[in-house]
Amino acid sequence: MDEARTPALRALLDEVWREALVAVDAHGATRAALQRWLGGAVPAEPVRVLAVGKAAGAMADGAAEALGGRVAPGSRATLPDGARAAQAPGVVTERAAHPLPDERSRRAGEAALACVQDGAPWVLCLSGGASSLWLAPAAPLDLAGARALTQALLASGRTIEQMNDVRRQVSRVAGGGLLRAAARPPLCVLVLSDVRGGEARAVGSGPCWPDETPEPGSPPSHDRPAHLVVGSNQTLVEAARAVLARRGADVVEATWDEDDDVEALAVRWQARAARVGLARRAAAVSGGEPRVALPRGISAGRGGRCTHLALLVARALAGRAGVAFAAVASDGVDGCSGAAGAIVDGSTWAPGAAEAVARFDAASFLAQRGALVPEAPSGVNVRDLHVVVAEPGRA
């Protein structure tokens, strides 16, 4: 197998994940879902648009477009630093911190609770990252305690659903808190899901998804409003499969929401890499979120779940030509790696790699090997994308 072909496969993988992200289209999907919900009619009175999460800018713009520009005062989009701002007239962009909440997060959470109390009609656009961006700590927890709790959860290896089950209990916005604070329920909640199965309940720790009916005599509440899922990991994987097919690859396997220990996933991808390449060009594509648990007492280096997985798969591919693997975070930010993910091949694994794995410092090593995908907040958040592609006759 000609070694010159491997760079072409790496370039293909770079095209695949970028085109798949574009196809998710948080703006267009939000606009279409809200238009269908409204029956194609523009509301008689302006509607307040509240958007929070990594895709809040695009989703707020899509909602405003569906409303025919009839956006009520107080509309806001809360995003992490670097994410694309809302462009719709009348929607104010505010920034808060992710993944660890900060004082801006507390102010944004308190403001969200206050702005639904005047009885104006409203819609909520919700995407991953909202739990940190809107945080109103529930007593006795304060902001410092919320940060410490979040840090512990991130290092625990828990799934996002498990983490958000905890955060539902410690923020007055979460677990239906925003709904309970509102004078009226939202027209609907539009959700770009970053959780397994594309479900809505756990996204952003469920600001409009109460766990139970209030006790008699408690403050007025509302039944759970409609939650409309506008995109998920399945959307991303199917878009990637379509891109691969257009590029002449036979996709022999496609699945989504693969959540497992990162070592177990690496073994699975090793087996897939052995199976592909039997046709003229073959690929396997999946998505999800590998679980990376940091041992107690370890001082982790530079990395994230995608870069860690990619380096583990690179070990399995070592010395093989004509095969490449990509692991990329759809939001464009892979943990503390300073990258969106990585694309590796048979030449990536080299002396020092095993030590980088042991130190949870995959990104530092992959940077030296030219394997990192540059960090760039994407305005999309539908979990991660993993793809292997191979040519027949490889070494």
Side-chain angles (χ1 to χ4, degrees):
M1 178 69 192
D2 184 356
E3 291 283 357
R5 292 197 181 186
T6 302
L9 293 181
R10 291 167 57 88
L12 171 65
L13 288 174
D14 191 64
E15 293 173 1
V16 167
W17 81 263
R18 293 181 189 278
E19 292 187 28
L21 280 182
V22 172
V24 174
D25 188 14
H27 179 138
T30 301
R31 179 192 64 237
L34 184 53
Q35 285 174 335
R36 287 193 300 270
W37 183 254
L38 296 172
V42 175
E45 58 181 316
V47 175
R48 181 170 296 146
V49 175
L50 299 181
V52 59
K54 298 175 186 176
M59 294 185 75
D61 290 347
E65 193 170 324
L67 295 167
R70 293 179 61 76
V71 175
S75 296
R76 62 205 313 147
T78 310
L79 304 111
D81 294 320
R84 171 192 173 282
Q87 306 296 318
V91 179
V92 175
T93 293
E94 61 183 356
R95 303 287 179 176
H98 180 274
L100 296 180
D102 65 2
E103 176 59 25
R104 296 175 299 166
S105 307
R106 188 197 64 77
R107 291 197 301 267
E110 298 286 357
L113 291 170
C115 78
V116 296
Q117 297 177 18
D118 63 0
W122 58 292
V123 297
L124 176 62
C125 299
L126 188 61
S127 57
S131 301
S132 174
L133 298 169
W134 277 359
L135 179 77
L141 199 70
D142 59 10
L143 178 59
R147 284 177 59 88
L149 174 63
T150 303
Q151 183 69 70
L153 289 171
L154 291 172
S156 69
R158 287 179 170 88
T159 66
I160 186 65
E161 298 95 329
Q162 292 169 333
M163 288 192 284
N164 284 358
D165 278 342
V166 175
R167 292 191 281 203
R168 290 171 71 87
Q169 311 303 318
V170 298
S171 172
R172 288 179 288 112
V173 181
L178 186 67
L179 181 65
R180 290 189 291 272
R184 61 190 291 180
L187 301 179
C188 64
V189 180
L190 300 138
V191 182
L192 189 69
S193 180
D194 68 332
V195 302
R196 186 178 177 87
E199 70 165 31
R201 174 189 177 273
V203 179
S205 302
C208 288
W209 195 293
D211 287 321
E212 56 189 354
T213 303
E215 293 294 327
S218 64
S221 185
H222 310 287
D223 292 333
R224 185 173 69 238
H227 284 60
L228 312 177
V229 176
V230 304
S232 67
N233 192 237
Q234 180 178 352
T235 312
L236 180 65
V237 169
E238 290 184 341
R241 176 165 55 181
V243 176
L244 284 162
R246 290 197 299 270
R247 296 293 190 278
D250 293 322
V251 181
V252 299
E253 183 177 350
T255 187
W256 45 85
D257 290 324
E258 277 197 312
D259 292 8
D260 207 339
D261 175 78
V262 67
E263 295 274 358
L265 273 182
V267 171
R268 197 171 302 162
W269 279 104
Q270 178 180 0
R272 286 173 177 152
R275 290 198 300 269
V276 300
L278 301 179
R280 55 195 177 94
R281 171 183 281 173
V285 56
S286 184
E289 292 189 353
R291 296 193 298 272
V292 182
L294 300 180
R296 288 184 178 275
I298 192 170
S299 179
R302 176 185 167 198
R305 59 180 181 253
C306 287
T307 45
H308 197 77
L309 175 63
L311 188 51
L312 289 174
V313 175
R315 178 172 58 193
L317 301 182
R320 295 166 61 183
V323 60
F325 173 79
V328 185
S330 65
D331 64 1
V333 181
D334 178 43
C336 64
S337 67
I343 301 175
V344 300
D345 58 26
S347 67
T348 302
W349 188 266
E355 292 78 7
V357 169
R359 295 193 307 270
F360 294 87
D361 193 27
S364 296
F365 178 84
L366 291 169
Q368 298 171 11
R369 306 297 294 169
L372 292 181
V373 175
E375 181 177 282
S378 66
V380 170
N381 188 30
V382 286
R383 323 190 85 205
D384 303 336
L385 182 68
H386 310 140
V387 187
V388 66
V389 62
E391 300 277 14
R394 65 191 184 280

